[in-house]
Amino acid sequence: MLSCMDGMDRIAVPRGGIVWSPLLLMVGLALQIALLTLTFVFMLSVPALTYATLESAQSLFGTVAWLNALASFIATLLSLFIVRRHFRSICLAIVNSVVPAVVVSAANIIPTYTLRSWSSIVVSIVLAAVAAIVASLVYIFLLRRKDYF
């Protein structure tokens, strides 16, 4: 017997031709914030990472940018595993995964503009976006291939 809840894990809300998943966005935001916080707690607990962060504050590809990208990769992969939405295309799945990574990364790094150059801030946000794209592609091509092809 079918219930009204069958297939609810594959539904996303359409908005103007693009399919957005509010649940994936919210879970993605929560995981991005949690993992970025854990990353910085880990960074502050390891003296060598703290020193490397202070030394590379002005560089384009500093320690903070790489740790931000690593947290973004893991959080995106976890959010895709938890929510498991099926989108109409691969691009929509990627966009739904990248938006939380970019928002949290920007909210975290932009307030430090007095310590860094704007180019290092942009590079950090771009690295977080690229990490989220790579995590989405890993999830789609290696783990959920049958859903998209």
Side-chain angles (χ1 to χ4, degrees):
M1 179 174 170
L2 293 175
S3 71
C4 64
M5 297 304 286
D6 287 340
M8 287 301 287
D9 61 326
R10 298 171 88 56
I11 295 174
V13 180
R15 301 249 190 249
I18 297 176
V19 178
W20 289 101
S21 173
L23 181 61
L24 182 59
L25 293 173
M26 289 299 112
V27 169
L29 279 172
L31 285 173
Q32 293 285 344
I33 292 168
L35 282 173
L36 196 58
T37 302
L38 286 175
T39 301
F40 281 105
V41 166
F42 176 72
M43 179 193 65
L44 292 173
S45 66
V46 177
L49 279 177
T50 306
Y51 181 74
T53 301
L54 294 174
E55 289 295 315
S56 66
Q58 294 290 328
S59 69
L60 280 179
F61 299 101
T63 306
V64 172
W66 290 110
L67 288 174
N68 194 7
L70 179 65
S72 182
F73 178 84
I74 295 169
T76 300
L77 207 54
L78 283 174
S79 66
L80 286 168
F81 269 121
I82 291 170
V83 176
R84 294 185 180 260
R85 293 285 189 244
H86 179 75
F87 295 96
R88 292 182 192 158
S89 71
I90 293 171
C91 291
L92 293 175
I94 291 172
V95 168
N96 275 273
S97 302
V98 170
V99 168
V102 170
V103 168
V104 171
S105 177
N108 176 52
I109 202 82
I110 287 177
T112 65
Y113 72 91
T114 56
L115 299 175
R116 308 174 190 284
S117 64
W118 280 104
S119 58
S120 68
I121 289 173
V122 170
V123 165
S124 181
I125 294 169
V126 167
L127 278 175
V130 168
I133 290 170
V134 169
S136 299
L137 292 175
V138 164
Y139 178 78
I140 290 167
F141 287 119
L142 296 180
L143 305 171
R144 299 287 298 256
R145 188 175 185 94
K146 65 181 188 292
D147 289 346
Y148 291 95
F149 298 104

